[in-house]
Amino acid sequence: MIIAKKALKIILAHSNPIGIEEREIVDSFGCVLAENIYSDIYMPPFDRSAMDGFAINSKDPSKVFEIIEDIPAGTAPKKKIHTGQCARIMTGAMLPLGADKVVKVEDARLISDHALRVTHYENKTNISKNGEDIKAGKKILNIGVKIRPQEIAMLAAVGKTMVKVFRRPRISIISTGSELVEPSLKPKIGQIRNSNSSMILAQLKRRGICGKYLGIARDKFDFTVKLIKKGLENSDILLLSGGVSVGDYDFVKEALKKCEVKIHFNKIAVKPGKPTVFGTKGEKLIFGLPGNPVSVFAVFELFVVPALDKIVGRKAGTNLKKYILLNDFIRRDANREQYFPIMLGEKGVKLIAFHGSAHILALTKANGLMQIKKGIKKIKKGTMVDVRPV
């Protein structure tokens, strides 16, 4: 049995990008950039009005201004502003020659259809200058940036319609155990619904990855081997839940060995999640997760997610953050590092009822996992604790 820190180090040592692909920008949402992005233009590309108003020369001493043209956004000015003249201009429209200021609509009073008087002068010019946001040739996005809607807008603004991103891994999911039935069926005596696969698929989807569910491996060695082989053939990562403990029917580890998977460890000194298996076959990663839902959820977040992050080009780590504990905490034993589902609010960490690794309901109340290090039994209210938001 190895400590969590060492387990993660082993996992990350075998987690590497699996390739780069080019995608259309809308289809790149959730991916990670595999190239630096540079602007091909100045932004704004010309001096433009920051609001609706009237374009004037700020040095013009005139009391009354003739409106010589209207300039809507998307059109170029046709006339130059001279003394005693102005142009009606819309937000985003190009500033005409001779003008260096825009008077807001509410700061001017029309005295005819073609003339106005300025009633108030601001110190601000109300103009966005050419290139004040971005200069042509400037690097605007770095390799490793996760693409959100705002990055897609930036890519579109610089005309980058195709973008290179790190390829997402192909992932297959297998649940093990003859006691399992699919969620659509009502369990008979001795059976339970398979909640793990649905949860794992959702956890993957939250990372922008679509997993493939291969079904339930009944407690038969040959059938389990067959399903594992199928998963290995078509996947970069194989995730199994259940069958990794020490019971007579828990033979996932042996089935993996039969499929020529190299096992790097099969126990982690962490709670929940002690019976966790990690192996490799070539560049493929194999995770044997525990069977209880809370254990599956925690192990996925703590060990699988960092591997996924590294594979798709993101910075991998524990993602622990400091928060203040709002309740006194106590646990029975402190022989392992432990993660408790907690509610993270504006004021800090609130403890919730948690009955153990099969307590799915506790997960629905939680939005974080609080880390308690080995050897610590009690933590006083007001102490800063480490939490992984989930």
Side-chain angles (χ1 to χ4, degrees):
M1 185 161 60
I2 63 174
I3 63 172
K5 187 176 181 179
K6 186 175 180 180
L8 183 59
K9 185 177 180 179
I10 292 171
I11 291 168
L12 293 180
H14 291 87
S15 304
N16 299 299
I18 53 178
I20 292 172
E21 60 185 2
E22 199 169 39
R23 289 187 175 222
E24 292 186 4
I25 54 172
V26 174
D27 292 332
S28 71
F29 173 72
C31 295
V32 175
L33 277 174
E35 61 175 327
N36 292 322
I37 304 297
Y38 299 85
S39 179
D40 64 337
I41 59 173
Y42 286 86
M43 292 188 195
F46 45 80
D47 290 350
R48 67 185 183 189
S49 176
M51 58 188 59
D52 293 346
F54 300 92
I56 66 168
N57 188 301
S58 61
K59 297 180 180 64
D60 191 338
S62 302
K63 303 296 183 182
V64 175
F65 293 85
E66 177 192 3
I67 304 171
I68 61 172
E69 72 169 325
D70 287 353
I71 311 173
T75 62
K78 297 182 176 65
K79 298 179 180 180
K80 182 178 179 179
I81 301 298
H82 295 285
T83 301
Q85 294 179 334
C86 70
R88 184 182 282 110
I89 192 167
M90 308 305 159
T91 303
M94 185 176 181
L95 200 70
L97 291 174
D100 61 1
K101 184 181 183 69
V102 173
V103 175
K104 293 191 295 186
V105 171
E106 53 266 40
D107 290 340
R109 180 169 61 87
L110 291 173
I111 55 178
S112 74
D113 290 341
H114 301 289
L116 62 83
R117 187 187 301 275
V118 177
T119 58
H120 175 70
Y121 284 97
E122 286 187 304
N123 290 327
K124 295 189 298 183
T125 62
N126 298 320
I127 293 170
S128 297
K129 286 289 192 178
N130 175 27
E132 74 176 19
D133 294 335
I134 298 172
K135 299 289 191 294
K138 180 181 178 181
K139 183 165 67 172
I140 53 171
L141 295 172
N142 293 315
I143 290 175
V145 167
K146 183 179 179 180
I147 301 174
R148 304 168 297 170
Q150 45 268 56
E151 278 74 33
I152 288 177
M154 192 72 258
L155 290 166
V158 299
K160 189 72 175 176
T161 58
M162 299 294 294
V163 62
K164 292 178 182 178
V165 298
F166 291 100
R167 184 168 76 80
R168 293 164 172 166
R170 299 166 300 163
I171 301 180
S172 292
I173 299 104
I174 299 171
S175 286
T176 68
S178 294
E179 76 279 11
L180 298 178
V181 296
E182 297 298 0
S184 59
L185 302 176
K186 188 170 184 178
K188 296 178 182 178
I189 294 175
Q191 295 181 329
I192 58 172
R193 287 191 173 103
N194 173 22
S195 60
N196 285 341
S197 292
S198 298
M199 179 173 64
I200 292 170
L201 286 167
Q203 286 177 286
L204 287 171
K205 196 168 185 179
R206 182 162 65 177
R207 311 299 299 183
I209 299 171
C210 291
K212 184 177 181 181
Y213 174 53
L214 300 185
I216 298 170
R218 304 298 171 190
D219 290 330
K220 294 183 179 179
F221 184 80
D222 291 341
F223 183 76
T224 302
V225 168
K226 183 178 178 180
L227 209 53
I228 288 173
K229 285 182 177 179
K230 181 180 178 181
L232 290 172
E233 285 174 6
N234 303 304
S235 309
D236 302 300
I237 299 176
L238 178 61
L239 301 176
L240 301 100
S241 65
V244 291
S245 193
V246 292
D248 292 339
Y249 296 99
D250 294 329
F251 40 64
V252 163
K253 186 174 72 170
E254 295 307 314
L256 289 173
K257 288 181 179 178
K258 180 75 173 179
C259 297
E260 300 179 337
V261 171
K262 181 180 178 180
I263 305 298
H264 295 280
F265 60 77
N266 62 0
K267 287 181 184 178
I268 307 177
V270 68
K271 185 177 181 179
K274 177 182 174 182
T276 296
V277 173
F278 175 69
T280 55
K281 185 174 183 179
E283 297 298 315
K284 299 177 185 288
L285 308 184
I286 299 91
F287 291 87
L289 309 179
N292 282 324
V294 179
S295 298
V296 171
F297 183 86
V299 170
F300 183 97
E301 294 295 327
L302 298 172
F303 300 103
V304 180
V305 166
L308 295 177
D309 284 342
K310 190 178 176 189
I311 288 169
V312 301
R314 286 197 289 263
K315 184 178 179 181
T318 58
N319 295 323
L320 291 170
K321 297 181 180 180
K322 293 284 187 183
Y323 297 93
I324 191 166
L325 184 63
L326 301 178
N327 314 89
D328 288 333
F329 171 84
I330 187 168
R331 60 172 172 166
R332 293 178 183 176
D333 61 73
N335 60 346
R336 276 183 281 165
E337 181 178 317
Q338 191 165 359
Y339 289 84
F340 282 83
I342 55 88
M343 173 56 69
L344 188 59
E346 291 183 6
K347 295 183 178 180
V349 174
K350 183 179 179 181
L351 302 180
I352 60 176
F354 178 53
H355 304 149
S357 58
H359 192 190
I360 304 177
L361 186 61
L363 288 180
T364 69
K365 314 289 184 184
N367 60 3
L369 296 171
M370 180 174 69
Q371 181 196 58
I372 310 298
K373 293 183 179 180
K374 179 181 177 181
I376 296 175
K377 275 191 175 184
K378 299 178 180 179
I379 304 177
K380 291 184 178 181
K381 174 182 175 180
T383 303
M384 298 300 291
V385 293
D386 290 312
V387 174
R388 181 187 175 95
V390 294

